[in-house]
Amino acid sequence: MSGDTTYDFKVTHSAKAMPTAQREAILADPGFGKAFTDHMVIVDYNVDKGWYNPRVVPYGPLSLDPATSVLHYAQEIFEGMKAYRSSDNKVRLFRPDANAQRFRLSAERMAMAPVPDDLFVEAVRQLVTIDRDWIPTGEGQSLYLRPFMIANGVYLGVKPSSDYLFMVIASPVGSYFSGKAVNVWVSETYSRAATGGTGAAKCGGNYAAGLLAQAEASAHACDQVLFLDAAERRWVEEMGGMNVFFVYDHNTLVTPPLGTILPGITRDAVMTLARERGLEVREEPVSIEQVYADVASGALREAFACGTAAVITPIGSFRHQGGVCTIGDGGSNGPVTGALREALVGIQRGTDSDPHGWVWQVG
Ligand code: PLP
Ligand code: COI
């Protein structure tokens, strides 16, 4: 099937789809990543057959041999994206081609079989089509889509697997963070990625390696962790699950350059939207001591986190072993953060025009 431009998905409807009233109760207050829709997508890969047997099946557990490769050597990658349903009942995705491309690059970095971009997008489309009633429509709500791939060859030798499972599951979500601004713990102990490592790939191992730092953040009453570079422990990289931006003098955005960080699709969109609004945007190294000094001098007025889950979330403070660095009043959206968020959300939800062709109507 590899190389085809059309994919023939076999669809098996769930005999145990959730009753409407129960689903509506979940959609009223979905939280994040707690409930899952009635179906999932699975596509198999074998090194001799290529991608085969694309199918939509009832959501349910997998059965894996204990010697399955992913359980031992962590060949696993994933994506995060959202489907929106508007008041006119249209279903939209935001830049699914960019997620497909990043998934392919993550696969290459992890020595996995790349999923063709059109198969990736079609798999997502299949799931949002069959489970469209699961897309919540309230403010800040969407259907979070989680495409992922695991190595499912059964073999204990350390080498790339001969078999893979590409899957897509979906979860109705509200806001990732409960408060307005987030407090961020600056990890001086743990690093997320190093030059030559897997920082730019969206592989599960990066997140496992960050969990202890995230736990340290929680212990300091912070919502997220900010990682510094692994070599000098001074250059800002990114947060556990989102990219970071700093706003200077109301007219300049600064964000760390690509390399060891995840190339966020929201990050890319934010830079475009900011330039269109006349802001200067710089991708350049930012040292954490400079951040503290610039907040103290008043030059650094706002900071925000951005990502699919976080959208654009203001940062209220950076906390670290040496103290607390509070940004603005510590709790509210600055004007630049607010304007960028409004512009992004307007395009994503289909209420504003989409000059870049970022939004794909899929149903
Ligand atoms: N950085 C990390 C570590 C992430 O997990 C995410 C979320 O996917 C991002 C950045 C933001 O990426 P995107 O905007 O593509 O969701
Ligand atoms: C996303 O934004 O899609 C992520 O993968 C980040 C995670 C915090 C859920």
Side-chain angles (χ1 to χ4, degrees), residues 31-59:
F32 190 96
K34 295 189 298 190
F36 298 91
T37 64
D38 295 319
H39 299 89
M40 62 186 187
V41 165
I42 309 183
V43 192
D44 295 299
Y45 176 89
N46 172 267
V47 68
D48 297 321
K49 293 198 223 174
W51 291 102
Y52 67 100
N53 197 12
R55 55 203 187 275
V56 180
V57 295
Y59 186 93

Side-chain angles (χ1 to χ4, degrees), residues 32 78 80 144 146 176 202 241 308-309:
F32 190 96
F78 67 95
Y144 184 79
R146 175 51 64 88
Y176 190 72
K202 204 161 167 62
T308 299

Side-chain angles (χ1 to χ4, degrees), residues 12-353:
T12 308
H13 285 265
S14 172
K16 291 195 214 140
M18 192 177 281
T20 305
Q22 211 179 326
R23 185 183 66 237
E24 295 295 337
I26 290 173
L27 297 190
D29 184 17
F32 190 96
K34 295 189 298 190
F36 298 91
T37 64
D38 295 319
H39 299 89
M40 62 186 187
V41 165
I42 309 183
V43 192
D44 295 299
Y45 176 89
N46 172 267
V47 68
D48 297 321
K49 293 198 223 174
W51 291 102
Y52 67 100
N53 197 12
R55 55 203 187 275
V56 180
V57 295
Y59 186 93
L62 299 175
S63 170
L64 295 177
D65 187 291
T68 299
S69 192
V70 64
L71 302 177
H72 302 271
Y73 308 125
Q75 257 191 310
E76 189 272 352
I77 58 170
F78 67 95
E79 271 302 322
M81 52 206 289
K82 284 176 171 172
Y84 308 88
R85 188 152 58 107
S86 46
S87 47
D88 57 4
N89 209 26
K90 303 247 165 61
V91 178
R92 296 180 169 88
L93 301 172
F94 184 68
R95 305 184 72 179
D97 51 332
N99 291 98
Q101 184 193 31
R102 188 170 66 189
F103 198 61
R104 189 163 32 77
L105 295 175
S106 296
E108 279 169 18
R109 177 62 186 84
M110 303 304 289
M112 301 170 85
V115 174
D117 291 15
D118 56 353
L119 173 57
F120 178 97
V121 175
E122 180 57 18
V124 168
R125 200 190 65 78
Q126 291 278 339
L127 189 58
V128 295
T129 301
I130 197 164
D131 282 338
R132 64 177 286 139
D133 290 345
W134 278 93
I135 308 175
T137 53
E139 202 187 320
Q141 296 184 335
S142 57
L143 185 65
Y144 184 79
L145 300 160
R146 175 51 64 88
F148 65 102
M149 189 191 338
I150 59 169
N152 70 335
V154 176
Y155 180 71
L156 288 186
V158 181
K159 66 168 195 177
S161 176
S162 55
D163 294 83
Y164 296 93
L165 272 189
F166 165 48
M167 298 187 56
V168 190
I169 56 173
S171 169
V173 298
S175 299
Y176 190 72
F177 295 115
S178 49
K180 207 165 173 355
V182 290
N183 298 313
V184 174
W185 175 250
V186 180
S187 178
E188 293 160 0
T189 315
Y190 304 106
S191 43
R192 175 182 174 278
T195 306
T198 59
K202 204 161 167 62
C203 59
N206 287 346
Y207 295 78
L211 289 177
L212 197 52
Q214 182 62 41
E216 199 177 72
S218 303
H220 289 87
C222 288
D223 308 277
Q224 267 286 311
V225 57
L226 180 75
F227 288 106
L228 305 176
D229 75 293
E232 294 181 62
R233 299 281 167 85
R234 60 183 285 245
W235 302 103
V236 172
E237 297 230 310
E238 64 179 319
M239 307 181 30
M242 44 220 69
N243 293 114
V244 65
F245 278 86
F246 303 98
V247 184
Y248 280 86
D249 300 323
H250 296 317
N251 61 16
T252 303
L253 277 191
V254 179
T255 195
L258 298 182
T260 51
I261 64 171
L262 192 77
I265 295 160
T266 319
R267 173 186 181 277
D268 182 76
V270 162
M271 292 196 294
T272 300
L273 294 173
R275 289 193 175 110
E276 284 169 358
R277 278 155 186 75
L279 297 170
E280 188 189 338
V281 179
R282 300 205 304 256
E283 292 175 81
E284 65 184 26
V286 184
S287 74
I288 192 68
E289 62 267 29
Q290 195 66 47
V291 169
Y292 301 150
D294 292 341
V295 170
S297 77
L300 199 167
R301 312 279 184 112
E302 304 169 37
F304 62 85
C306 72
T308 299
V311 193
I312 291 180
T313 302
I315 295 174
S317 69
F318 290 109
R319 303 181 182 192
H320 52 104
Q321 296 292 359
V324 179
C325 165
T326 303
I327 306 188
D329 65 7
S332 49
N333 243 345
V336 174
T337 306
L340 288 170
R341 185 185 161 97
E342 212 176 290
L344 177 70
V345 170
I347 295 174
Q348 288 175 331
R349 307 197 83 86
T351 52
D352 289 351
S353 66

